[in-house]
Amino acid sequence: MFFFSKKNILTDLSFLGADMHNHLLPNLDDGLQTENETIQFIEKFKTLGYKKIICTPHILSGVHSNNTTTILPALNRIKTLVKEKNINVEIEAAAEYMIDHELEALIDKNQPLLTFGNNYILIEMSYMAASPYLEQVIFNLKMKGLQPVLAHPERYSYYHSNFNKIIDIKDRGCLLQLNLLSLTEYYGNDVKKIAKKLIEEDLIDFIGTDIHHNNHLNTATQFAKDSKMYTLLKSKSFLNETLV
Ligand SMILES: [Fe+2]
């Protein structure tokens, strides 16, 4: 059962304007599974202060076989429901592309890719090991006029002892997106430490919620309880605000 009340909302994320990384579209990946849940979460995002929600289902070869034909109908259905229910928030969709041979093939064949904002494309890697294709994919996307954005670099533990590698990715022209919950204890202390350093050193371009389920949402609503982290985040500016 999903419990939520306005008095539990302690966090105002309106300074971000838009969320550009979440798994709210139903029944497409390991995120939300029903339209009802999606609508409930969209209402909560609005209460958190978001004006726009860009949904980014996983595209992962053999696991989450999404593409425009699965994502866009789901988006349209949710947009219709949001309109019917008079929820005043804008909903869009892109995707979170795992860097794998399938993404390489899509780029090689000039297939249309799901982007958001100013030709931004969200890409991610396995948590187990860095992709050997990362640099090539960044280069190839840029050659196609797309702007890669690497999801949650702070969560790749293989970079925790090699911070310079994250700087190298940025130097190659890839933007970086930090997960909001990485600034809490949610993914552990090591992730929090790197997340804080990335923010302090102005290396982060976007903040995403990466919300998949209730635990994520509840942690996000409590974010401002840690006033140090909340103040740090609010002292910086991010490209999120350019998406609204
Ligand atoms: Fe994600």
Side-chain angles (χ1 to χ4, degrees):
M1 180 72 88
F2 183 72
F3 290 109
F4 210 94
S5 71
K6 269 195 179 173
K7 68 176 169 34
N8 289 328
I9 298 276
L10 298 172
T11 304
D12 175 9
L13 297 172
S14 56
F15 65 97
L16 292 173
D19 183 33
M20 41 58 74
H21 182 176
N22 61 74
H23 301 270
L24 300 196
L25 284 183
N27 200 23
L28 291 177
D29 61 9
D30 55 347
L32 300 186
Q33 296 303 312
T34 69
E35 287 179 354
N36 272 349
E37 280 182 306
T38 301
I39 295 301
Q40 282 181 322
F41 273 58
I42 287 171
E43 282 173 334
K44 304 313 175 276
F45 270 59
K46 188 173 180 287
T47 317
L48 284 167
Y50 285 113
K51 293 178 190 68
K52 184 185 277 191
I53 302 167
I54 301 167
C55 305
T56 50
H58 287 288
I59 296 184
L60 168 55
S61 180
V63 181
H64 301 300
S65 305
N66 286 309
N67 52 47
T68 51
T69 64
T70 62
I71 293 172
L72 297 182
L75 169 68
N76 287 333
R77 172 78 185 134
I78 293 302
K79 279 173 81 166
T80 303
L81 289 174
V82 163
K83 207 173 166 191
E84 276 173 17
K85 291 177 187 297
N86 278 321
I87 308 170
N88 185 23
V89 63
E90 230 181 304
I91 313 290
E92 292 182 5
E96 181 179 14
Y97 288 93
M98 177 62 74
I99 298 173
D100 57 20
H101 59 278
E102 204 170 279
L103 176 59
E104 285 206 296
L106 289 172
I107 300 168
D108 285 349
K109 291 177 190 160
N110 272 323
Q111 293 294 305
L113 296 166
L114 287 149
T115 61
F116 63 98
N118 196 13
N119 276 337
Y120 301 121
I121 176 166
L122 187 64
I123 55 176
E124 69 165 339
M125 286 190 291
S126 157
Y127 295 122
M128 307 301 287
S131 167
Y133 312 116
L134 174 66
E135 287 81 4
Q136 194 60 47
V137 163
I138 291 171
F139 181 81
N140 290 348
L141 287 171
K142 289 180 79 73
M143 291 301 285
K144 303 276 180 196
L146 301 178
Q147 174 58 61
V149 179
L150 181 65
H152 38 60
E154 75 282 2
R155 293 199 62 201
Y156 304 126
S157 54
Y158 40 83
Y159 288 159
H160 287 178
S161 54
N162 190 4
F163 193 77
N164 283 342
K165 184 60 204 169
I166 303 179
I167 296 173
D168 174 66
I169 293 167
K170 178 111 186 176
D171 286 345
R172 289 172 186 271
C174 184
L175 300 182
L176 303 178
Q177 173 260 308
L178 189 104
N179 277 11
L180 179 74
L181 300 192
S182 295
L183 292 167
T184 73
E185 308 282 315
Y186 190 88
Y187 306 112
N189 252 322
D190 288 347
V191 170
K192 184 176 177 180
K193 226 166 84 183
I194 299 288
K196 184 168 174 275
K197 190 171 157 78
L198 285 165
I199 293 281
E200 284 172 343
E201 299 194 9
D202 295 323
L203 289 163
I204 295 301
D205 302 287
F206 289 101
I207 301 291
T209 64
D210 201 3
I211 280 178
H212 289 66
H213 48 64
N214 269 339
N215 282 350
H216 287 160
L217 180 60
N218 290 335
T219 309
T221 61
Q222 304 295 311
F223 181 75
K225 264 188 175 174
D226 184 344
S227 58
K228 258 192 189 166
M229 285 300 157
Y230 187 51
T231 305
L232 172 66
L233 195 68
K234 281 188 84 167
S235 73
K236 305 289 183 182
S237 65
F238 302 100
L239 291 175
N240 294 65
E241 62 189 80
T242 67
L243 300 172
V244 179

